[in-house]
């Protein structure tokens, strides 16, 4: 009985620690944050990756913009990507060439330049 009680107390402490760490002590985010996903072929794993990222966002563990970079999607992969974008209009898609323009340094007059 005591062993079971000790186990339950330990599990409760772990849950409490996870709650405190995730909810009360989130890191300060000052700059825009992007989650960049490289998609290629038939888009294998794309939906699952987006589901995990949306979970982080929904649980307020992180705030970011999701950017899916087309690094050689075939027609089936583009169909999946289009369906995912219809499901979540905030999802950004671009080609690999466009991604280089988005992430240029400020001095290079890229996307984030004033």
């Amino acid at each position: 009985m005591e062993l079971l009680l000790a186990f339950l107390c330990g599990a409760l402490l772990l849950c409490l620690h996870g709650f405190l760490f995730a909810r009360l002590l989130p890191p300060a985010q000052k700059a825009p944050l992007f989650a960049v996903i490289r998609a290629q072929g038939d888009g294998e794993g794309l939906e699952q990756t987006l589901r995990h990222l949306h979970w982080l966002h929904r649980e307020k563990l992180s705030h970011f913009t999701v950017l899916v970079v087309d690094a050689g999607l075939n027609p089936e992969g583009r169909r999946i990507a289009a369906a995912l974008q219809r499901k979540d209009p905030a999802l950004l898609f671009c080609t690999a060439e466009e991604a280089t323009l988005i992430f240029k340094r400020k001095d290079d007059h890229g996307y984030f330049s004033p």
Side-chain angles (χ1 to χ4, degrees):
M1 184 67 179
E2 289 178 5
L3 185 60
L4 180 62
L5 185 60
F7 177 74
L8 289 175
C9 286
L12 180 64
L13 283 174
L14 281 174
C15 290
L16 182 62
H17 175 267
F19 173 78
L20 290 174
F21 184 75
R23 305 286 183 196
L24 301 178
L25 302 173
Q29 186 175 330
K30 297 185 182 193
L33 182 64
F34 282 84
V36 179
I37 303 170
R38 184 175 180 261
Q40 61 185 13
D42 62 356
E44 182 181 350
L46 181 59
E47 186 173 3
Q48 291 80 9
T49 302
L50 290 172
R51 194 176 308 133
H52 291 293
L53 290 173
H54 285 300
W55 177 83
L56 287 172
H57 194 70
R58 189 175 54 249
E59 294 295 320
K60 296 183 180 16
L61 296 176
S62 187
H63 298 286
F64 48 79
T65 301
V66 178
L67 176 65
V68 178
V69 177
D70 181 349
L73 285 169
N74 61 27
E76 176 66 18
R78 282 193 286 278
R79 185 189 65 74
I80 290 171
L84 290 169
Q85 192 171 28
R86 281 191 302 275
K87 188 176 177 182
D88 181 10
L91 195 59
L92 301 176
F93 284 93
C94 70
T95 64
E97 293 80 24
E98 292 170 329
T100 59
L101 294 175
I102 291 171
F103 294 111
K104 278 186 172 184
R105 294 184 308 257
K106 282 187 176 183
D107 298 339
D108 294 338
H109 304 294
Y111 185 81
F112 296 110
S113 296

